């Protein structure tokens, strides 16, 4: 193994190639068609060859803008981040409400594009994407204006994002299963309950939880669970701010 350090390869770290003639294709077109393909046919359906066919473009033309599939994912992921509501608070004291709106928008956007949770771990420098940077900077500003130091705001943003992405990953997996089953979410959940209740017989706490949730609305339970967990995260941030933990 060579001791020489290698530069991280990313669409955000390499210079864009320049074309002298008027291009027949643009990076925006490539990203738009890739996003449509992912949303309609799923992650496994995306390939550079299939994308080129959809665009009626050859490989040479494609690779002028996107060097490989990894770069394509970086671009598409940042495109999705551009759909998320950029947080703003008219009053600095409203940092919690603004953060809540942003968190709900993040979750909603990820569930509209459930494939994204499968590629986030492979997009190592997603934070360099322009949409991701705009979103992050805006949420940092909301928390900083609300009384957090910039360092504490950064930790708060990371914590909120980690919570939302974690929950959305589980939800996206479940909703993908629902879609593949061809059944309604409530119907599928109720069909799985007997097996689930049997499986928790030796686990008293889980058994009580399952019994209490037996008649729950599946979609409503997911929404309520997300909101309760988010408020726990924000309670923690607010408590730290009240103890002076927002100052460093």
């Amino acid at each position: 193994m060579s001791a020489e350090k290698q530069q991280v390869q990313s669409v955000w770290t390499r210079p864009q190639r320049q074309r002298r003639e008027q291009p027949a294709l643009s990076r925006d077109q490539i990203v738009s068609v890739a996003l449509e393909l992912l949303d309609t046919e799923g992650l496994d359906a995306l390939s550079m060859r299939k994308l080129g066919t959809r665009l009626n473009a050859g490989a040479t033309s494609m690779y002028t803008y996107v060097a490989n599939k990894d770069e394509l994912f970086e671009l598409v992921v940042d495109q999705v981040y551009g759909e998320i509501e950029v947080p703003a608070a008219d009053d600095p004291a409203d940092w919690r409400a603004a953060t809540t709106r942003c968190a709900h928008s993040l979750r909603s956007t990820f569930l509209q594009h459930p494939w994204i949770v499968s590629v986030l771990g492979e997009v190592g420098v997603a934070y360099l994407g322009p949409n991701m940077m705009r979103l992050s900077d805006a949420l940092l500003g909301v928390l900083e204006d609300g009384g957090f130091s910039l360092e504490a705001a950064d930790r708060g943003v990371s914590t909120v994002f980690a919570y939302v992405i974690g929950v959305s990953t589980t939800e996206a997996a479940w909703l993908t299963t629902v879609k593949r089953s061809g059944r309604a979410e409530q119907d599928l959940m109720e069909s799985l309950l007997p097996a689930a209740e049997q499986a928790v017989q030796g686990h008293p706490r889980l058994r009580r939880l399952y019994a209490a949730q037996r008649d729950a609305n599946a979609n409503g339970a997911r929404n309520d669970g997300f909101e309760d967990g988010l408020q726990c995260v924000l309670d923690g941030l607010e408590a730290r701010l009240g103890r002076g933990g927002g100052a460093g």
Side-chain angles (χ1 to χ4, degrees):
M1 181 176 179
S2 172
E4 183 180 350
K5 294 181 179 179
Q6 296 185 2
Q7 182 180 358
V8 174
Q9 297 299 310
S10 167
V11 71
W12 310 120
T13 61
R14 71 166 174 82
Q16 290 191 43
R17 300 167 186 168
Q18 300 297 318
R19 293 176 62 120
R20 294 181 181 179
E21 71 274 12
Q22 183 68 26
L25 191 64
S26 71
R27 196 164 78 173
D28 286 345
Q29 286 176 290
I30 295 170
V31 172
S32 177
V33 173
L35 180 57
E36 180 183 2
L37 186 59
L38 285 163
D39 286 344
T40 56
E41 299 188 30
L43 189 61
D44 293 339
L46 182 65
S47 69
M48 297 299 282
R49 178 179 297 180
K50 190 167 188 177
L51 184 59
T53 300
R54 285 283 187 100
L55 290 161
N56 195 26
T60 302
S61 181
M62 291 266 294
Y63 289 130
T64 298
Y65 301 98
V66 183
N68 51 48
K69 196 172 177 180
D70 290 339
E71 288 195 0
L72 179 61
F73 278 132
E74 289 182 321
L75 292 167
V76 177
V77 165
D78 194 63
Q79 183 82 356
V80 171
Y81 272 107
E83 300 176 12
I84 299 164
E85 177 183 338
V86 176
D90 296 330
D91 185 335
D94 289 339
W95 68 266
R96 184 162 176 152
T99 303
T100 297
R101 289 194 299 272
C102 180
H104 278 279
S105 180
L106 175 59
R107 173 191 177 230
S108 175
T109 301
F110 274 25
L111 294 185
Q112 289 173 22
H113 308 284
W115 53 266
I116 194 173
V117 297
S118 298
V119 302
L120 284 178
E122 301 177 23
V123 187
V125 287
Y127 59 87
L128 290 179
N131 289 321
M132 178 61 169
M133 294 183 79
R134 179 166 54 251
L135 178 67
S136 298
D137 192 73
L139 191 50
L140 283 170
V142 165
L143 293 182
E144 190 176 30
D145 291 346
F148 293 85
S149 70
L150 183 57
E151 292 75 14
D154 181 45
R155 290 193 292 272
V157 169
S158 295
T159 302
V160 171
F161 276 25
Y163 168 73
V164 178
I165 292 172
V167 172
S168 299
T169 297
T170 302
E171 285 190 279
W174 162 247
L175 292 176
T176 298
T177 299
V178 172
K179 184 176 181 180
R180 287 174 178 167
S181 76
R183 303 169 72 171
E185 180 181 5
Q186 188 69 27
D187 180 44
L188 181 60
M189 187 192 75
E190 290 175 0
S191 73
L192 293 172
L193 268 176
E197 290 175 338
Q198 181 63 36
V200 298
Q201 286 305 306
H203 307 281
R205 294 163 190 83
L206 288 174
R207 189 172 67 247
R208 293 202 307 271
L209 280 173
Y210 275 56
Q213 297 167 3
R214 195 176 214 295
D215 298 322
N217 175 273
N219 182 65
R222 285 192 294 106
N223 291 334
D224 291 346
F226 174 81
E227 178 63 21
D228 286 348
L230 176 62
Q231 295 310 314
C232 285
V233 172
L234 298 180
D235 285 347
L237 292 179
E238 190 165 36
R240 286 176 63 86
L241 182 62
R243 295 196 304 266

